[in-house]
Amino acid sequence: MKKIILVVMGLCLFGTAYAKKPSAPKASELGQLFLLQGEAIRANGTKNAMLKPGENILSGDRILTGQKSVAIIVFKDGGRLKLGPESAVQLAKNDCFLEKGTVFSYVTSKAKQNPYSLRTSLLVVSTHQGIFFTEIEKKQWMTVHYGDVEVINL
């Protein structure tokens, strides 16, 4: 009886020592890099990597475009972001923080339940459906091409 108990205890200890550890949760996939002319870098945490068309874009990614570069991201809901040269954005679900450069945003009607927001250090642009352009250079400005867009000055 003691041998059986020792064997069972040994198997339990052995099993827990080699048990598969749970993997860290994966970042939420937002969409894909659809088009890239020039260079773009993904900065996520301490890692920096050059992006290629077709790569997944994840929540938390910071995307930086190079000189004379353009990147288009297509989101799962069909919305799109076009990043101009020397732009930097931080992406999250239904949210984009524009640090510098230019962004052309196309927000689909599929965003009706959760509005899309583009933020800068001076304003927040929010919409359920629309097309708008935002730029940060020496001044910050935006223009609405289509849709109901709410703009809040911070």
Side-chain angles (χ1 to χ4, degrees), residues 7 9 23 32 36 69 75 84 89 106 110 116-117 136 142:
V7 169
M9 286 178 56
S23 59
Q32 287 189 336
L36 177 61
S69 298
F75 294 105
V89 296
Y106 170 76
K110 293 179 183 176
Y116 166 81
S117 294
I136 298 177
M142 60 89 55

Side-chain angles (χ1 to χ4, degrees), residues 71-140:
I72 297 177
I73 298 168
V74 176
F75 294 105
K76 285 183 168 185
D77 68 0
R80 295 183 282 284
L81 277 186
K82 179 181 178 183
L83 309 176
E86 298 185 46
S87 296
V89 296
Q90 178 84 34
L91 298 170
K93 187 174 182 180
N94 298 325
D95 184 73
C96 172
F97 180 73
L98 177 61
E99 297 173 25
K100 68 175 187 170
T102 60
V103 171
F104 187 81
S105 303
Y106 170 76
V107 183
T108 67
S109 60
K110 293 179 183 176
K112 284 186 178 178
Q113 293 153 350
N114 298 309
Y116 166 81
S117 294
L118 182 133
R119 299 176 293 114
T120 72
S121 60
L122 296 178
L123 58 89
V124 177
V125 183
S126 183
T127 187
H128 289 281
Q129 180 178 6
I131 300 172
F132 58 93
F133 177 82
T134 310
E135 178 177 24
I136 298 177
E137 291 300 328
K138 293 178 183 171
K139 295 182 179 180
Q140 293 186 32

Side-chain angles (χ1 to χ4, degrees), residues 27-90:
S28 174
E29 183 183 317
L30 300 176
Q32 287 189 336
L33 181 64
F34 176 73
L35 176 84
L36 177 61
Q37 294 177 341
E39 297 179 338
I41 296 171
R42 173 201 324 261
N44 195 339
T46 59
K47 299 177 188 176
N48 288 349
M50 297 299 285
L51 281 169
K52 296 176 190 161
E55 286 192 54
N56 290 334
I57 302 298
L58 308 175
S59 181
D61 279 350
R62 184 172 177 244
I63 310 297
L64 301 105
T65 57
Q67 263 187 333
K68 300 180 183 178
S69 298
V70 173
I72 297 177
I73 298 168
V74 176
F75 294 105
K76 285 183 168 185
D77 68 0
R80 295 183 282 284
L81 277 186
K82 179 181 178 183
L83 309 176
E86 298 185 46
S87 296
V89 296
Q90 178 84 34

Side-chain angles (χ1 to χ4, degrees), residues 140-151:
Q140 293 186 32
W141 65 279
M142 60 89 55
T143 182
V144 178
H145 296 275
Y146 165 80
D148 294 324
V149 177
E150 178 182 17
V151 180

